[in-house]
Amino acid sequence: MDHIDREILQILQHNARTSLKTIAEKTFLSSPAVSARIEKLEKDQVITGYQAQVNPMKLGYHILAFINLNVLPEDKQRFYQYAESIPNILECSSVTGEFSVMMKVAFESTAQLDTFLGQLQKFGKTSTQVVFATHVGPRGIQVQEP
């Protein structure tokens, strides 16, 4: 990956809908050359997908929370299958520390969150932090030269 690939990544992370023509102009390449580079970045799984960032509040999800869960090693596979089936789980990661799993979730109400927390109890102990405000939102990763 060279500096042009890195510049393409920066542009796409800022706005994945940027046209090939615009990227070509910014990188001094032809549109077909940009397209080939993007295809290679996708093939190499540097780019893993494209998605719109959506405001959960505008869709009625007024409760955002982070839930830490301590899952026993023998229950992890069963838990991950369960987590895959719950659309309210926006992210689910294995982590170090007192808890083994951390989830970002969105619910329409605290009652729904409470019900979900009750369901999680079958997998282990939880600790929950409700989000009041997000001061730095989702953003792309810094693409630097090695």
Side-chain angles (χ1 to χ4, degrees):
M1 184 173 2
D2 62 14
H3 74 282
I4 293 174
D5 290 332
R6 293 175 193 286
E7 189 171 347
I8 290 170
L9 288 173
Q10 283 292 111
I11 293 166
L12 290 175
Q13 285 187 106
H14 179 71
N15 180 359
R17 294 186 64 181
T18 303
S19 70
L20 291 176
K21 181 180 180 223
T22 301
I23 297 170
E25 290 169 357
K26 291 182 178 188
T27 58
F28 304 103
L29 296 174
S30 67
S31 292
V34 169
S35 179
R37 283 177 177 260
I38 291 172
E39 284 179 27
K40 183 169 185 337
L41 291 166
E42 291 169 345
K43 180 179 166 274
D44 293 345
Q45 295 185 332
V46 175
I47 297 174
T48 58
Y50 302 89
Q51 62 192 114
Q53 292 181 5
V54 177
N55 181 344
M57 298 285 280
K58 297 286 185 178
L59 298 174
Y61 294 91
H62 299 282
I63 306 300
L64 290 176
F66 289 95
I67 302 171
N68 294 295
L69 174 66
N70 197 8
V71 180
L72 295 173
E74 59 268 20
D75 292 335
K76 280 191 176 181
Q77 200 56 41
R78 185 171 60 95
F79 169 73
Y80 292 137
Q81 288 175 345
Y82 170 77
E84 281 285 330
S85 73
I86 306 298
N88 299 79
I89 299 175
L90 305 178
E91 294 179 31
C92 179
S93 303
S94 293
V95 296
T96 62
E98 181 182 348
F99 296 91
S100 56
V101 173
M102 181 178 200
M103 293 169 275
K104 181 178 181 182
V105 299
F107 287 94
E108 294 174 338
S109 68
T110 54
Q112 289 177 340
L113 174 61
D114 186 49
T115 298
F116 177 67
L117 289 170
Q119 294 167 356
L120 285 180
Q121 298 304 311
K122 65 185 170 193
F123 294 104
K125 176 184 166 191
T126 63
S127 174
T128 304
Q129 297 82 39
V130 174
V131 175
F132 288 140
T134 300
H135 301 286
V136 178
R139 58 182 173 193
I141 191 154
Q142 184 71 25
V143 182
Q144 302 175 6
E145 296 288 330

